[in-house]
Amino acid sequence: MLVRKHEGVLVQGITGKQGTFWSERMVESGTRIVAGASPGKGGRNVNGIPVYDAVSDAVAQHEVAASVLFVPPMGARAAALDAIHAGVRKLVILTEHIPYQDVMRVLAEAAEHGTQVLGPNTAGLVLPGETAVGIMPGFAANIFQPGDIGVISRSGSLGTLLALNLVSAGYGQSAFIGIGGDPILGTTTTDALRTLQADPRTRAVVLVGEIGGTMEEEAAEYITTMTKPVVAFIAGRSAPPGRRMGHAGAIVTGSKGSGESKARALAEAGATVLDLPSQVSEALIGHGITAIDLRTTTPIT
C-alpha cells in the first residue's frame, strides 16, 4: 500500500497529543491531510484541519483516500470499522497491543470491503518528497530523500537506521513501508514486496526483518520471481535460543523463525543478506545499483 501526494488523508484521533503533533509533521512531509475525526470533538479545528465526530461525517465533506489511526488499543476496532464502513480504502493502524480478536475482526471486514490495511503496530509509510503517513520522520532530509530504493521493515527504528544509511551513502528511497511488528498483520512482507516490484520508481528493495514468525521465509519464495534485486538485514541473529526478544511477533517456533533460518532462506532465494546495516551501500553496488549524489544528482564514483 502506498499513499500518493494527491490523495486525501484523514487522521483519526487528531485531537490527542500524538495525533496533533504528528499531523503537523505529516503535513511538513507533503501529506495532504483533509480532515480529522475524534468522537465528541466534532466542530473543532487542529492546525487548520477540520475535525468531525465520525469518519462518515468527514467523508461526506472531503475526498478521503486513506486514514491513519492515533487511537488507544481498546478503541482501535471501532475506529477502524468506522473508516472501513465509511468507504476508506487505505488504513494505517499505528496502535499496538490491540486484542487479537479485534485485529482479526478488522482484517475480515477490510477484506470484505476491499480496504487495504497497514499494521497494526506499524510506524507507517513514507514516499520521500511526497507523503508520510504515520510516525516516521519523512520531514528529515538526512533520513529520507527521493530516490529509487524501496525499504520494507517490521521495525520503525531499524527501518529508520537503514534509511539513514542509504541517504548517508548517497541513495534515496522510492518508498518506506513499515509493515508492523505484530503477529497478525494486514500487510505481510510478501505483500509489500509485490507493491515495490510493481512500483515503476523502485529499482531495488532493502528488506529489514527480525527473528520470530515466518514472514521473511515465506517471502523468500516470492523473491525468486522478482526482477528487482533484494538486499536483506535480519535483526536478532545473535539472540540466545529460546529467548523472546523485540516485538510481539519475535517468537521463534520450531526450526523456523530464527535469524539463521531466515537468512538462509533469503540467501537461497537470491537476496544479498547483510551482517550489518552499514553494508547496505556495498551490497547495492554489488547489484549494479550506483549511488547518486543527492546534491548534484550525478553518480558517485
Side-chain angles (χ1 to χ4, degrees):
M1 181 175 79
L2 303 176
V3 177
R4 300 292 183 184
K5 188 167 187 172
H6 68 275
E7 295 182 298
V9 174
L10 171 77
V11 180
Q12 292 180 256
I14 193 172
T15 54
K17 182 178 179 180
Q18 294 299 319
T20 298
F21 175 82
W22 282 104
S23 65
E24 289 185 88
R25 304 290 80 73
M26 287 188 278
V27 169
E28 189 179 339
S29 302
T31 310
R32 191 168 75 90
I33 298 179
V34 296
S38 293
K41 305 293 178 64
R44 296 190 182 188
N45 188 290
V46 174
N47 301 322
I49 301 167
V51 181
Y52 299 85
D53 286 319
V55 177
S56 56
D57 297 332
V59 169
Q61 298 296 323
H62 306 274
E63 193 172 304
V64 177
S67 180
V68 55
L69 273 64
F70 291 87
V71 179
M74 300 312 294
R77 181 176 74 171
L81 294 179
D82 186 17
I84 292 168
H85 294 158
V88 178
R89 294 297 170 252
K90 296 180 181 180
L91 199 59
V92 179
I93 305 178
L94 306 174
T95 313
E96 59 180 330
H97 304 307
I98 302 174
Y100 290 163
Q101 64 268 28
D102 289 357
V103 176
M104 291 188 287
R105 170 69 186 281
V106 168
L107 296 183
E109 290 280 340
E112 182 176 339
H113 289 80
T115 297
Q116 295 175 283
V117 176
L118 190 64
N121 193 13
T122 174
L125 57 87
V126 180
L127 275 66
E130 277 199 61
T131 59
V133 181
I135 56 174
M136 290 297 292
F139 54 88
N142 64 320
I143 299 173
F144 288 106
Q145 286 283 343
D148 55 10
I149 309 299
V151 180
I152 300 168
S153 181
R154 284 166 63 175
S155 164
S157 56
L158 285 172
T160 299
L161 174 61
L162 263 295
L164 175 64
N165 285 339
L166 284 168
V167 171
S168 297
Y171 293 92
Q173 306 92 2
S174 55
F176 169 89
I177 303 175
I179 62 173
D182 279 5
I184 306 172
L185 295 171
T187 298
T188 66
T189 302
T190 304
D191 293 333
L193 285 168
R194 287 195 180 101
T195 296
L196 295 180
Q197 170 67 17
D199 177 31
R201 301 192 309 177
T202 299
R203 190 177 175 193
V205 178
V206 175
L207 171 61
V208 186
E210 299 178 4
I211 61 169
T214 59
M215 279 196 298
E216 293 89 348
E217 288 154 313
E218 292 165 1
E221 183 176 351
Y222 178 72
I223 289 173
T224 63
T225 70
M226 292 179 63
T227 59
K228 299 175 181 180
V230 176
V231 174
F233 172 72
I234 304 298
R237 290 171 65 182
S238 60
R243 182 76 58 85
R244 175 173 171 169
M245 303 180 69
H247 291 119
I251 303 172
V252 179
T253 56
S255 61
K256 292 188 175 182
S258 70
E260 290 307 317
S261 175
K262 292 173 184 284
R264 183 169 54 253
L266 290 166
E268 290 175 353
T272 299
V273 180
L274 310 177
D275 292 321
L276 298 170
S278 57
Q279 298 170 333
V280 64
S281 60
E282 180 183 345
L284 289 169
I285 291 171
H287 285 287
I289 310 296
T290 305
I292 298 296
D293 186 328
L294 298 173
R295 295 163 298 179
T296 63
T297 65
T298 58
I300 294 177
T301 58

